[in-house]
Amino acid sequence: MRSFTQQLLNGIFIGSIYALFALGYTLVFGVLDVLNLAHSAVFMIGAVVAYSLVALHGWSFWVAAPAAIAVAGALGLVIEYVALRPLRRRNAPPLAAMITTIALALILVALVEQAKPGGALAWLWRDGANSVKFPPHTVPNDTFHVGGVTLTASKLAILVISVILMAALGYLVRRTSAGRSLRAVAENARAARLLGVNVNRVITRTLVASSALAGLAGILFGVALSDISPYIGRDQVELRGLAVIVLGGMGSVTGTIVGGYVLGIVEVMALLAFGTNVRAGVAFLALFLMLVLRPQGLLGGAAVERV
Amino acid sequence: MVGVAVAALVATACGSSGSSYKGKTLQFGAVFSLTGPGGVYGAQQKLAVELATEVINRKGGVDGAKIAFRIEDDASDKQQSAQVTQRLIQEQRVVGLLGPTLSNSAVAAHPIADRLKTPMLAVSTTGFNIVGTCPYSCTYIFRDSLGEASAIPANIKTYADKAHPKTAVLLFPNDDKFSADGAQVVRDNVAKNNIELLDSIQFTKAEADLSPYVTKAVQRNPDVIFITSLGAIPSKIMIEARRQGFTGQFLGGNGFNTAAVSKAAGDAGKGAQSGSAWYSGNDFKANAEFIRAYKAKFNADPDQFAAQAYTGVLILVDSAKRAKLTFKDQAGDRRRLRDAMEKTSIDSPLGPFQFTKQHDVDQPIWIIAMDGRGGFSLVSSLNPG
């Protein structure tokens, strides 16, 4: 029972990271019908910049984290102006945008992995392909043992921050004028434009918000899992992020949140039920079944409401 | 200050190969993982090869012949490793090669070098069947990196003799040859050291959060957790296991033996023990001079992977000077280099070094433990055999 509770907590925790990461995917997919595959690189940059400011430049984590989120948000502008808007102007198919965002991701990962002491980017990163962690005591990270179950402050904080952020995002999308514009563009960009919505501005804001979320998720990942490297986005969360938005129904915010937690919990339950060899396999089997039997996602009706 | 070992090699070269080397260039190649997950190790290897090249050429090269290394990145990818190996041999016409960085890549790259009859010296691949009992002839393949099949049993025995652990759990990613081979060595050696293996917990390299696996391991209450893995995985497991209350011993293999892993593990890794090909604290001449030269050039400490790559260059250079190369008959030169490599006997940063008949390492094994501050301390050393 202790093991079950611990594993359930493990699943809920990693589900929070999956959901937070995948929210950025789903926001952009909702308004653009494009998978922004540079998202995983922005996730990594968020963690790398925060680490750099703390470990290399001596900043307090509480200043470094917002600065890193701002840098990640600014990368959203780069994605929009470099990789997406030029293609939209000439009505390029969504596949072209996937390719340009993949290229951007590869460039960002390569820049970080090539950064070495004495190099041009040494102010940002000096560890090449190595994995590093925040210096000890960067954030209070006490460990609690309650009834045989281990809880760490960082993981609890991530859970709380994720829930607050997801609730705030849900409120923003449903209840504010900016959210209404977002939903209008997601539903039909041409109709939204005719109604006076500045579509390009909505898309730009969405990319900035989505990238800032990715940056935040990257920082939380780095704090909780003691793993910051050029590959944390690409190798560890990208595929699962895609799985989450399929589970949740492509483009649905609520569905993505539920999908994140479902995937996290299904993975650890698979581990308990079938052993360690098949954990990832069972999770992706669930994804496959979802695509075949319920392609609209967990929460979807006949058609998922976008964003 | 040029190393005495290097100076001795160069001096011997003057005596053995006559004047035919003068003004020529000995073109070697190296296939390293400079990007991708193996970049943790490949970057150090590249620096070490550049250092060795500079030191040897500054001393006059090999009987007047300069040495040059063309270093290619295989991006930690098996197919790319095979492609760049073939390109170096056929287009750059190298006489011999170092690499690749990862065992996973070696299974693709080494058969190509062997088929093209070009000596290739593995400087960090420690998995099974790299040399000796390969699934192909492998007569042109050598290894100067201590295999897991030697390092892990020595480490287990050293710890078991001292602490008499009763139970253990093994954690490893099953989609990586190095890790899976290491895991097999652990399984083959626990019983003979009176350790019961309670569980073998497998996962994939791309797992974001290893907590569920660590939970499964810790709740078996083992005396020892074995980790046979590379990159960030060992440190992540150690940190999480300590958080979950594990107070026992971590034992592992070559994946522990780099300062980056020790630094990432920090306090959680203190005492984590492994068998190593190299120990930075050894003060015998070849090692002391290597470390001094490395620090002077890069203002950083070398690690085991740098020491093995540096030794790899010394082996190729020592062999080239004894091989009586013609610089005209390329196939013949590659064969002569291979024959000379079989008779290697040098003092290296790894210790006195020779090859076995199977072209494998014959050198001391250093049992080391993480010091909790990004470094290592020496536990003991074992002689080969």
Side-chain angles (χ1 to χ4, degrees):
Chain A
M1 187 62 200
R2 231 174 54 190
S3 173
F4 177 82
T5 312
Q6 181 73 59
Q7 294 291 23
L8 187 65
L9 285 170
N10 289 336
I12 290 171
F13 158 70
I14 195 64
S16 305
I17 298 268
Y18 292 162
L20 213 50
F21 174 78
L23 271 177
Y25 262 146
T26 220
L27 279 176
V28 174
F29 187 82
V31 294
L32 278 177
D33 265 348
V34 160
L35 276 176
N36 167 23
L37 293 177
H39 197 62
S40 58
V42 178
F43 172 90
M44 175 272 293
I45 291 286
V48 162
V49 170
Y51 167 81
S52 163
L53 293 175
V54 171
L56 305 181
H57 302 286
W59 289 30
S60 150
F61 176 81
W62 307 109
V63 182
I69 293 168
V71 170
L75 276 176
L77 290 176
V78 175
I79 294 168
E80 161 65 355
Y81 284 102
V82 173
L84 298 179
R85 192 172 290 192
L87 299 179
R88 258 197 335 273
R89 274 203 204 107
R90 56 169 205 266
N91 286 323
L95 187 63
M98 281 175 66
I99 301 299
T100 53
T101 54
I102 288 175
L104 208 52
L106 289 173
I107 290 167
L108 289 171
V109 170
L111 281 174
V112 175
E113 73 182 357
Q114 291 302 316
K116 305 270 162 52
L121 287 174
W123 54 272
L124 173 68
W125 184 255
R126 297 173 191 172
D127 290 282
N130 287 337
S131 167
V132 297
K133 60 176 184 173
F134 284 106
H137 314 301
T138 296
V139 290
N141 195 12
D142 296 327
T143 302
F144 311 100
H145 299 279
V146 184
V149 171
T150 303
L151 299 166
T152 56
S154 63
K155 290 189 176 180
L156 285 174
I158 284 170
L159 196 57
V160 172
I161 290 170
S162 304
V163 170
I164 291 172
L165 265 175
M166 288 184 252
L169 192 66
Y171 175 82
L172 195 82
V173 168
R174 303 251 158 252
R175 306 277 177 210
T176 66
S177 143
R180 273 192 292 278
S181 301
L182 185 76
R183 283 188 292 142
V185 174
E187 202 59 44
N188 187 323
R190 184 174 291 179
R193 188 175 287 118
L194 289 172
L195 290 169
V197 175
N198 185 334
V199 172
N200 274 340
R201 187 190 296 162
V202 169
I203 290 171
T204 306
R205 282 179 179 169
T206 306
L207 274 157
V208 169
S210 140
S211 298
L213 269 176
L216 171 66
I219 296 167
L220 295 177
F221 182 97
V223 169
L225 299 181
S226 304
D227 182 11
I228 302 167
S229 83
Y231 315 114
I232 53 172
R234 186 189 71 189
D235 290 351
Q236 306 195 359
V237 293
E238 184 171 43
L239 270 182
R240 287 189 167 84
L242 292 172
V244 165
I245 60 171
V246 171
L247 273 176
M250 308 283 281
S252 157
V253 166
T254 316
T256 298
I257 295 168
V258 174
Y261 285 108
V262 166
L263 184 63
I265 293 169
V266 164
E267 279 189 345
V268 293
M269 291 305 128
L271 170 71
L272 281 178
F274 304 107
T276 52
N277 292 353
V278 295
R279 177 190 174 199
V282 168
F284 282 91
L285 178 66
L287 179 69
F288 174 76
L289 292 175
M290 180 64 73
L291 280 170
V292 172
L293 302 175
R294 197 174 163 80
Q296 69 271 36
L298 286 170
L299 298 189
V304 177
E305 187 187 1
R306 285 300 188 78
V307 181
Chain B
M1 184 68 190
V2 176
V4 167
V6 173
L9 294 181
V10 173
T12 316
C14 297
S16 63
S17 54
S19 59
S20 63
Y21 282 41
K22 204 163 224 168
K24 305 282 195 337
T25 298
L26 276 163
Q27 181 66 57
F28 296 107
V31 181
F32 293 146
S33 299
L34 304 178
T35 57
V40 175
Y41 313 104
Q44 287 279 330
Q45 295 174 317
K46 178 172 182 277
L47 294 179
V49 168
E50 288 169 353
L51 173 67
T53 304
E54 185 183 309
V55 167
I56 289 163
N57 283 337
R58 201 191 311 142
K59 198 64 186 172
V62 182
D63 194 19
K66 293 282 179 201
I67 66 163
F69 267 87
R70 175 96 180 194
I71 300 173
E72 295 281 352
D73 177 19
D74 70 10
S76 308
D77 177 75
K78 190 193 279 189
Q79 299 312 326
Q80 187 162 326
S81 199
Q83 286 160 7
V84 296
T85 299
Q86 185 160 356
R87 204 163 63 227
L88 282 168
I89 295 171
Q90 294 184 324
E91 293 176 19
Q92 302 299 323
R93 308 181 72 78
V94 298
V95 66
L97 288 152
L98 298 180
T101 301
L102 302 175
S103 299
N104 214 33
S105 302
V107 298
H110 283 173
I112 288 175
D114 199 63
R115 183 165 49 81
L116 298 173
K117 298 191 185 310
T118 307
M120 191 161 193
L121 170 56
V123 292
S124 56
T125 48
T126 56
F128 291 163
N129 305 328
I130 299 293
V131 291
T133 53
C134 323
Y136 61 101
S137 75
C138 66
T139 51
Y140 278 78
I141 308 302
F142 293 77
R143 168 160 83 172
D144 84 355
S145 41
L146 186 68
E148 296 291 60
S150 305
I152 290 176
N155 186 37
I156 296 176
K157 184 167 184 349
T158 302
Y159 184 73
D161 287 351
K162 185 180 72 181
H164 311 293
K166 295 278 175 273
T167 56
V169 168
L170 165 67
L171 283 153
F172 70 100
N174 56 13
D175 55 345
D176 174 69
K177 175 175 165 50
F178 166 87
S179 307
D181 285 356
Q184 190 55 49
V185 178
V186 169
R187 288 195 196 99
D188 292 345
N189 282 276
V190 280
K192 61 181 79 160
N193 287 286
N194 300 316
I195 303 171
E196 182 191 357
L197 193 61
L198 301 172
D199 205 350
S200 284
I201 299 175
Q202 303 179 36
F203 48 90
T204 61
K205 283 186 290 186
E207 290 290 346
D209 181 15
L210 297 173
S211 309
Y213 305 101
V214 174
T215 299
K216 204 164 160 42
V218 170
Q219 293 192 341
R220 301 300 301 264
N221 278 323
D223 297 329
V224 170
I225 289 181
F226 286 105
I227 309 166
T228 59
S229 179
L230 289 166
I233 290 171
S235 58
K236 285 176 75 171
I237 290 175
M238 289 175 199
I239 291 166
E240 185 59 32
R242 292 293 185 225
R243 276 182 189 158
Q244 294 193 20
F246 177 67
T247 54
Q249 175 71 29
F250 296 114
L251 296 179
N254 276 291
F256 285 15
N257 299 341
T258 177
V261 173
S262 177
K263 187 177 161 198
D267 266 353
K270 193 170 182 181
Q273 189 173 302
S274 51
S276 176
W278 178 75
Y279 172 55
S280 60
N282 281 329
D283 56 3
F284 52 80
K285 205 166 271 180
N287 192 47
E289 287 167 356
F290 158 66
I291 292 174
R292 196 180 311 133
Y294 191 98
K295 282 184 173 171
K297 184 167 171 64
F298 303 117
N299 193 28
D301 294 321
D303 65 9
Q304 175 191 298
F305 295 86
Q308 288 172 324
Y310 191 91
T311 300
V313 178
L314 298 186
I315 291 167
L316 287 179
V317 165
D318 169 67
S319 304
K321 84 195 168 197
R322 290 183 286 104
K324 296 187 168 55
L325 303 177
T326 64
F327 294 89
K328 289 173 190 155
D329 168 18
Q330 187 165 60
D333 278 353
R334 286 170 174 167
R335 192 188 61 249
R336 282 184 273 276
L337 181 66
R338 190 272 313 263
D339 293 347
M341 285 172 75
E342 290 180 335
K343 298 180 178 66
T344 296
S345 178
I346 61 170
D347 287 325
S348 78
L350 309 178
F353 187 95
Q354 298 179 325
F355 287 114
T356 66
K357 280 183 181 155
Q358 288 76 38
H359 295 182
D360 209 347
V361 175
D362 186 359
Q363 64 148 91
I365 301 172
W366 313 98
I367 305 295
I368 58 175
M370 292 184 189
D371 65 7
R373 301 185 306 275
F376 297 90
S377 57
L378 185 65
V379 176
S380 63
S381 69
L382 290 94
N383 286 318

